[in-house]
Amino acid sequence: LKKYANKFGYDLNKTMAIGDNGNDISMLSIVEYSYAMENAEDYVKDVANYITGKNSEGGVAQAIYKHFPTK
């Protein structure tokens, strides 16, 4: 994620990442808007700045709508 952001000029302080497993920790730890799914392991939730709903209940959409509300 860091390499991609640097290549295309994205600011990680304005980037959202959403994860639910240990392989997501490095991504969650470098962005400002890090979300763990409600059904994620506790150690993943500890890294994230926010918790969103379960992946089976639209948690990704919930996180997106929180930061980019529709009118």
Side-chain angles (χ1 to χ4, degrees):
L1 180 61
K2 185 185 261 184
K3 187 175 181 179
Y4 184 90
N6 287 335
K7 181 176 181 177
F8 293 102
Y10 293 110
D11 183 350
L12 292 174
N13 290 321
K14 297 179 181 177
T15 301
M16 177 187 289
I18 304 169
D20 66 353
N21 210 327
N23 63 320
D24 298 317
I25 288 177
S26 62
M27 172 180 69
L28 295 173
S29 65
I30 63 170
V31 299
E32 182 68 25
Y33 303 104
S34 58
Y35 279 86
M37 306 302 292
E38 184 180 324
N39 54 298
E41 298 289 338
D42 287 338
Y43 65 92
V44 178
K45 292 178 186 178
D46 291 341
V47 173
N49 293 326
Y50 306 95
I51 307 297
T52 189
K54 295 178 182 179
N55 54 7
S56 61
E57 298 174 353
V60 171
Q62 292 172 26
I64 292 169
Y65 288 133
K66 178 177 181 173
H67 282 286
F68 306 104
T70 58
K71 293 182 179 184

